[in-house]
Amino acid sequence: MKVDLHCHSYYSDGDCSPSALVEMAIQNQVTHLSITDHDNIEVYQHLPSIPNQLQIIPGIECSVTWQRQEFHVVGLNIDLDSISLKRYLHAQLQRRYERALKISAELKKLGIHHSFEKVAEVAGHSVISRTHFAKFLIKEDIVRDHQTAFRKYLGSRAPAYIPSQWASLEETVAVIRQAGGQAVLAHPMHYGLSTAKTKALFKCFREAGGVAAEVVSGATQTKEILRWVQMSSNFRLKMSSGSDFHRPSSHRVGIGQQSNLPAHASPLWMDWAR
Ligand code: AMP
Ligand code: MN
Ligand code: MN
Ligand code: MN
């Protein structure tokens, strides 16, 4: 089995169509692929026909607020018709919409007008994210690149930063479980937490009903993977793995090309039947 259980299409902040993602997965011999767009499952309405050698795992990446900080939870094998999931996604969409209006108001104070309307245009069929604000700022020649957009306007120390108030960790895990799915703590290495806070997070996630942590995200280094495998097994969590692919790029890995799990790990997909 070769899995990639975390990547994005252009229905969230990725650049690729579902067909392009599926094609890359096949090219890279992936057997199990989950497209996990931010707070939406629209991509699953637009999948191409899938050849036998590839299994698509319906998935999502949910934004949550825990102890006033943003974390991500991946839901895998979710029932896309789940009513509680739909209700939850509707509320998350509303939060994104309201935040976008607030960011737009802050940009207006800085002399940048009508950003909401123009960002909605840039986002097209996707759920609005700060990535779309960055694209808008680049398109209008206000900044020269993505990093500058976050440094000068959108990032957590910048003037148009609006802290997001997402759903709680507990509610998110509960909704994923109600939809028959498995909740996975996304990329724990990206949050910059102390060991004590990491342990508190893992404990809370496990108690809420989470079943795995994503110990490999893209090009995670072996030493770090080992640390997260140990942490996960201490909290009786299984281990997941994904590229977090958004677009072809020289410094990020492609679909299915993330680092390997060590042999002693307990992969979440071990008992998935084909
Ligand atoms: P959102 O979910 O709308 O808050 O947007 C989050 C996306 O913005 C992430 O997936 C990143 O791609 C991007 N992002 C967030 N913070 C930064 C940053 N400091 N520099 C560059 N990109 C960032
Ligand atoms: Mn993203
Ligand atoms: Mn994420
Ligand atoms: Mn992601």
Side-chain angles (χ1 to χ4, degrees), residues 1 22 25-26 29-33 48-56 273-274:
M1 279 163 103
V22 164
I26 293 165
Q29 279 104 43
V30 169
T31 58
H32 295 71
L33 174 72
S49 66
I50 307 292
N52 264 335
Q53 71 264 31
L54 178 64
Q55 190 170 334
I56 299 290
R274 264 207 63 107

Side-chain angles (χ1 to χ4, degrees), residues 111-131:
I112 300 166
H113 296 271
H114 308 296
S115 61
F116 183 81
E117 295 80 350
K118 290 179 187 166
V119 165
E121 209 177 287
V122 169
H125 42 41
S126 1
V127 165
I128 295 180
S129 77
R130 283 182 293 159
T131 304

Side-chain angles (χ1 to χ4, degrees), residues 6-9 11-14 35-43 59-63 70-74 88-89 92-93 96 99 126-132 166 186-187 244-246:
H6 186 153
C7 70
H8 298 273
S9 77
Y11 290 97
S12 64
D13 58 346
I35 304 173
T36 52
D37 280 321
H38 295 283
D39 301 306
N40 98 88
I41 52 175
E42 174 81 14
V43 67
I60 187 165
E61 179 173 20
C62 301
S63 311
E70 179 174 324
F71 295 92
H72 291 172
V73 174
V74 164
Y88 171 90
L89 294 180
Q92 288 283 81
L93 198 65
R96 277 192 179 272
R99 184 185 62 157
S126 1
V127 165
I128 295 180
S129 77
R130 283 182 293 159
T131 304
H132 299 115
W166 304 117
H187 43 61
D244 208 357
F245 178 86
H246 285 71

